Amino acid sequence: MKFTICIVACFLILFNPSSFGQNLTRAIAVLDLTAKNNETNDSRFFSVEYMVKVTGIPFEVIQDVEEATNYAMILSSSLFKNSTFTTSEKNILSTYVQNGGVLLAPRIEDEELFDVFGINGYVDSKSRFEIHWDSSLDDAALKYINEPEEQIVSLGRNTYPTIFKTLSYATTFAETLARYEDGSSAIIKNQYGNGYAISIGLSWKEVILRNQINRDYEAQRITSNGFEPTSDVFPLFIRALFLEHQPHTVWKNTSPGRSISTLMITHDIDSSTGMDTLEIFAEYENDNNIEATYNVTVRYFDDNLMSDFYLNRQSTLNNIQDMNHNFGSHSVGHFFDFGNDDVFPIGSLGNTRNNYQPYNDGDITTGGTVYGELEVSKNVLEEDISNTTISVFRAGHLAYHKNLIDVLDDLEYQFNSSYSASDVLTNFPFQNKRGRSFSGATSDIYEIPVTISDVFHDNPISIFNHFAKANTWLDVTRKNHANGAPTTLLIHPNRHYKLESISYYLDELPDDVNIMEMEKFGDFWKAREAFNFSSELVGNDLTITIPDSVDLGNDISFIVADGQSLSTILIKNNVGLDLNFSQENWEGNDVIVYFGDIINSTEQLAKLNNHSNISAFPNPIKNTLNLEFELSKTENIQIALYDLNGKKVLPFLEGTQSKGKHILQKSIPLESYSTGVYFVIMKNKDGILGRTKIVVE
């Protein structure tokens, strides 16, 4: 049969000139094989559709094989079994690749298509736990896979005796792009005629949806505050493949306007201390044109777990609103056992603060329901804060109940941020499945995972190490930034030194990071996913066509690969009208086209220090450092030099100083200090009065 396919393919190439060198549509055909493979749910299709949405490349979902061959790339939703295709369909796919098409599919089990993929067999196993990309290859398809955490993909923890099924390929002509830990071929790429056939030896759902519903085999390599891109690698790989084979590829930017990535600052108000101190965080953010999300626990009752700290806080809520921040729900009780469905039944609608009275005795919660936590917290906040609609939810302790998404859907929330990105192995937003089930209906709720936070389990954040913790946040953010992935920062605003950490972190962010409130970013992401577009390349002129219905006010932007080499770029709507846009050079030889003029929040910050009542010069330090500071009253203060780990390395001043302005001059033995960033911090008995960053060269 393989001989027959080859003969037919050659015949079609020789005698069908319209097929050879045909102008393929500059988009991805998502070949939906759900029906052909008699699959009982859409988990495989859901996973591949999610990936192509993240890439930002235009796509169409297609069931007909012949129709799919009109596109520059075919991305299959699921495996090629012996029974998946008819002989005619196999011939069509073979000819498509032979003529220059790119075919990407998981798990090739059909022997009649082995030649196309450059293999002659496979070995299945349920005991493979990692995929190792070959970093020595000079292959454009691997352009985004350049971090150690990306080069090794975790499929599951090897303490499990078995996980899901994987195939390793015995290759003939195919190049191995990645191998399992046992050295066998996991991802292969074969040139067949003028085109390429690529396969990964596992189902897409195992590396996408399984992780998103948190039913993976403990594949995460870190619990929090780390870079975990396992699921992100695959959409980035797909985009790189398309870029490799389609000149001047256009894709939708994953961040608004001309920013590269987005940071969302969120605060969980789940203690009396947090309520007491949050306003200094809100004021700092407001002063620097930052809108943050304040997730409030509506604690209107007292039990053995915590006090009724929400009561009598109307002025605090009003102040947060007046400073242009947004609100989300952080549940009613902030119960650590909320994720236990034996303790928390789903309940039903109709809960109020009068009839919903859960109680925790310090060990277990009684009287709680999922509906009660979500319905009451939403309604109470909307009643207490004028002109507010609560759309964002985050569970206390990030405890994830199996019915959480179902209830969020029913109560018309829009966004959930109750997963850790490290736990679900992705940093991009995704739509949830009801019931955390492979067969669950697709929810309207978008999950925006928590990426970094002030919760460090092994070595908690403190006044002595908070700058070092901020450096951890920066490391994760920079790696996300390189992928265009968003970062969500969670800070409990209950300690003044955490504001120091935030200020330092923001001061050191990469260029072109856009700081955006979570609900607004969620709206941007949904708008980004809601439309398709097309592009046409004629000679050296590119035209991008977008639907007339697209709201350009959502800060949608496009990246054009190698766009600086083009003669012209035009953007039209689908009725032929030219659209006004801005164009700038981007990374490498790319171009970004956008319609708004977003000023990145890092630009708005203008590298401001949080405290302006102390300054240092010259900076970088010479042999002598001058400090200028101002006190509002006579008091006892300390001024000293600290390194990034919060260690005091040089005392400057300790004692009572009078009200007013002061200048202090200190000799600095530079030979005793390593080059880098330090802080001069001024404290009194209540905490930090001011700080300024200095540099030792």
Side-chain angles (χ1 to χ4, degrees):
M1 182 62 73
K2 284 187 280 187
F3 178 76
T4 302
I5 291 175
C6 182
I7 292 294
V8 172
C10 293
F11 179 84
L12 289 171
I13 292 168
L14 290 172
F15 297 100
N16 187 357
S18 65
S19 175
F20 188 81
Q22 59 189 310
N23 292 320
L24 299 176
T25 301
R26 293 164 49 86
I28 297 174
V30 175
L31 184 58
D32 181 7
L33 298 180
T34 306
K36 279 186 172 292
N37 282 335
N38 296 313
E39 295 165 10
T40 58
N41 59 59
D42 71 344
S43 59
R44 292 174 174 85
F45 169 74
F46 176 92
S47 298
V48 78
E49 186 182 38
Y50 162 78
M51 290 191 299
V52 77
K53 285 179 179 178
V54 171
T55 70
I57 294 170
F59 71 96
E60 294 291 340
V61 177
I62 295 171
Q63 285 79 37
D64 182 78
V65 172
E66 187 168 13
E67 183 184 354
T69 62
N70 293 317
Y71 292 77
M73 176 187 280
I74 297 175
L75 176 57
S76 174
S77 68
S78 59
L79 74 162
F80 288 5
K81 299 190 294 186
N82 291 326
S83 59
T84 302
F85 301 112
T86 66
T87 299
S88 174
E89 288 171 332
K90 295 173 190 179
N91 291 334
I92 290 169
L93 287 173
S94 175
T95 303
Y96 166 78
V97 178
Q98 186 90 34
N99 285 352
V102 178
L103 173 62
L104 173 57
R107 286 179 48 183
I108 306 305
E109 299 180 6
D110 188 340
E111 295 180 3
E112 295 178 353
L113 288 169
F114 279 3
D115 282 350
V116 178
F117 286 90
I119 60 176
N120 62 9
Y122 62 85
V123 176
D124 62 64
S125 172
K126 291 187 176 180
S127 298
R128 299 186 181 110
F129 302 94
E130 290 179 343
I131 292 176
H132 296 241
W133 295 90
D134 190 342
S135 59
S136 68
L137 294 176
D138 185 20
D139 193 307
L142 308 183
K143 67 173 291 186
Y144 296 110
I145 305 172
N146 49 21
E147 294 289 347
E149 300 93 336
E150 295 165 338
Q151 291 167 348
I152 298 178
V153 173
S154 175
L155 304 179
R157 196 161 294 178
N158 61 12
T159 52
Y160 287 89
T162 60
I163 54 171
F164 45 79
K165 180 179 178 179
T166 59
L167 305 186
S168 64
Y169 295 116
T171 61
T172 53
F173 299 105
E175 176 185 40
T176 297
L177 299 181
R179 299 180 184 275
Y180 298 110
E181 72 270 25
D182 61 10
S184 60
S185 297
I187 302 174
I188 53 97
K189 179 182 181 183
N190 184 52
Q191 182 171 2
Y192 184 73
N194 294 320
Y196 287 84
I198 305 98
S199 181
I200 176 173
L202 48 79
S203 171
W204 294 121
K205 78 168 187 178
E206 307 297 3
V207 289
I208 301 297
L209 183 55
R210 180 177 293 280
N211 299 336
Q212 290 177 352
I213 61 176
N214 206 14
R215 293 179 61 179
D216 59 277
Y217 293 89
E218 301 301 321
Q220 71 275 7
R221 292 165 285 194
I222 190 168
T223 55
S224 62
N225 285 305
F227 181 55
E228 181 50 273
T230 281
S231 290
D232 298 346
V233 164
F234 296 101
L236 294 173
F237 172 63
I238 292 168
R239 183 197 290 161
L241 267 175
F242 196 90
L243 284 166
E244 183 180 17
H245 299 288
Q246 189 63 220
H248 303 297
T249 294
V250 183
W251 70 93
K252 290 181 279 191
N253 191 9
T254 53
S255 193
R258 56 186 174 89
S259 62
I260 293 177
S261 70
T262 294
L263 167 69
M264 289 160 277
I265 299 176
T266 66
H267 300 290
D268 287 0
I269 318 304
D270 50 27
S271 68
S272 180
T273 308
M275 271 290 192
D276 291 340
T277 60
L278 65 84
E279 287 183 84
I280 64 165
F281 291 79
E283 289 170 359
Y284 166 77
E285 290 154 354
N286 184 58
D287 289 344
N288 289 287
N289 299 312
I290 294 171
E291 295 180 4
T293 307
Y294 283 76
N295 301 310
V296 182
T297 300
V298 186
R299 259 282 175 167
Y300 53 81
F301 58 91
D302 189 11
D303 62 12
N304 288 338
L305 194 62
M306 63 178 69
S307 67
D308 53 357
F309 63 83
Y310 177 78
L311 298 180
N312 303 313
R313 299 289 187 161
Q314 188 67 54
S315 61
T316 301
L317 300 178
N318 292 341
N319 287 341
I320 295 172
Q321 186 180 41
D322 290 343
M323 287 184 276
N324 299 312
H325 300 301
N326 197 24
F327 292 92
S329 164
H330 196 34
S331 76
V332 171
H334 200 263
F335 297 117
F336 53 81
D337 48 6
F338 174 71
N340 187 332
D341 56 319
D342 291 329
V343 175
F344 274 82
I346 186 171
S348 58
L349 286 167
N351 305 276
T352 68
R353 74 170 93 192
N354 293 324
N355 65 26
Y356 182 66
Q357 295 289 328
Y359 184 86
N360 188 283
D361 62 6
D363 181 44
I364 192 170
T365 304
T366 56
T369 67
V370 182
Y371 269 102
E373 291 295 302
L374 276 63
E375 183 180 18
V376 175
S377 59
K378 186 179 195 294
N379 290 341
V380 167
L381 289 170
E382 289 179 350
E383 291 166 5
D384 290 349
I385 308 168
S386 60
N387 302 315
T388 293
T389 299
I390 300 299
S391 299
V392 175
F393 179 81
R394 179 176 289 152
H397 303 281
L398 303 187
Y400 213 104
H401 195 281
K402 72 176 185 180
N403 296 121
L404 175 59
I405 296 304
D406 306 59
V407 177
L408 287 170
D409 254 336
D410 292 349
L411 293 172
E412 297 183 345
Y413 282 85
Q414 295 185 51
F415 307 106
N416 183 40
S417 187
S418 299
Y419 270 137
S420 162
S422 298
D423 202 17
V424 292
L425 295 90
T426 183
N427 299 279
F428 290 102
F430 58 90
Q431 280 179 274
N432 270 292
K433 284 281 193 176
R434 280 182 170 244
R436 290 175 61 187
S437 169
F438 289 112
S439 59
T442 300
S443 165
D444 290 331
I445 304 298
Y446 277 74
E447 182 77 33
I448 304 178
V450 176
T451 323
I452 48 179
S453 77
D454 57 359
V455 178
F456 292 82
H457 296 289
D458 296 332
N459 180 21
I461 191 170
S462 70
I463 195 171
F464 303 106
N465 65 13
H466 58 291
F467 289 128
K469 300 302 185 185
N471 278 331
T472 298
W473 301 338
L474 284 167
D475 179 64
V476 177
T477 304
R478 286 167 180 151
K479 291 177 178 178
N480 269 341
H481 183 68
N483 290 338
T487 296
T488 301
L489 172 64
L490 186 167
I491 295 291
H492 298 83
N494 54 3
R495 296 291 185 274
H496 286 214
Y497 63 77
K498 293 181 182 179
L499 188 55
E500 292 290 320
S501 308
I502 294 174
S503 179
Y504 165 69
Y505 166 74
L506 295 177
D507 213 29
E508 298 297 320
L509 279 177
D511 294 337
D512 300 312
V513 172
N514 175 55
I515 304 177
M516 198 171 194
E517 191 275 322
M518 178 172 281
E519 185 177 346
K520 290 183 177 179
F521 179 77
D523 288 340
F524 156 78
W525 193 265
K526 290 201 293 185
R528 175 186 182 271
E529 286 194 352
F531 76 97
N532 220 338
F533 71 97
S534 64
S535 68
E536 182 181 17
L537 185 65
V538 178
N540 211 34
D541 300 314
L542 178 73
T543 301
I544 302 170
T545 302
I546 63 176
D548 189 44
S549 58
V550 174
D551 182 0
L552 300 179
N554 285 305
D555 297 313
I556 302 297
S557 56
F558 300 89
I559 311 299
V560 180
D562 199 27
Q564 295 173 40
S565 302
L566 289 167
S567 298
T568 61
I569 298 175
L570 296 175
I571 301 184
K572 299 177 178 290
N573 64 17
N574 57 336
V575 294
L577 295 178
D578 290 340
L579 300 178
N580 294 322
F581 63 93
S582 299
Q583 174 181 324
E584 292 181 9
N585 291 344
W586 199 241
E587 299 173 316
N589 200 44
D590 297 345
V591 160
I592 184 170
V593 293
Y594 59 96
F595 305 92
D597 188 23
I598 284 186
I599 298 175
N600 297 306
S601 296
T602 46
E603 296 173 12
Q604 294 171 341
L605 283 168
K607 303 299 183 184
L608 290 174
N609 288 309
N610 176 30
H611 300 284
S612 59
N613 55 345
I614 185 168
S615 59
F617 56 93
N619 197 1
I621 299 176
K622 305 301 181 184
N623 291 325
T624 301
L625 181 66
N626 299 289
L627 298 173
E628 186 174 309
F629 61 95
E630 184 173 3
L631 299 176
S632 60
K633 62 181 179 180
T634 299
E635 59 182 323
N636 190 285
I637 63 168
Q638 300 176 7
I639 302 177
L641 186 69
Y642 292 79
D643 65 18
L644 288 178
N645 293 315
K647 179 183 177 182
K648 184 191 294 186
V649 295
L650 182 64
F652 286 156
L653 175 68
E654 182 172 358
T656 300
Q657 300 294 312
S658 61
K659 175 182 177 180
K661 292 184 177 180
H662 299 262
I663 295 179
L664 175 67
Q665 191 173 78
K666 289 289 291 187
S667 296
I668 307 293
L670 294 180
E671 67 278 1
S672 301
Y673 299 97
S674 302
T675 59
V677 175
Y678 293 79
F679 288 95
V680 176
I681 297 179
M682 178 171 63
K683 301 179 181 179
N684 64 6
K685 62 182 179 65
D686 296 319
I688 294 175
L689 287 175
R691 78 146 175 116
T692 190
K693 181 177 72 174
I694 59 174
V695 177
V696 173
E697 292 183 342

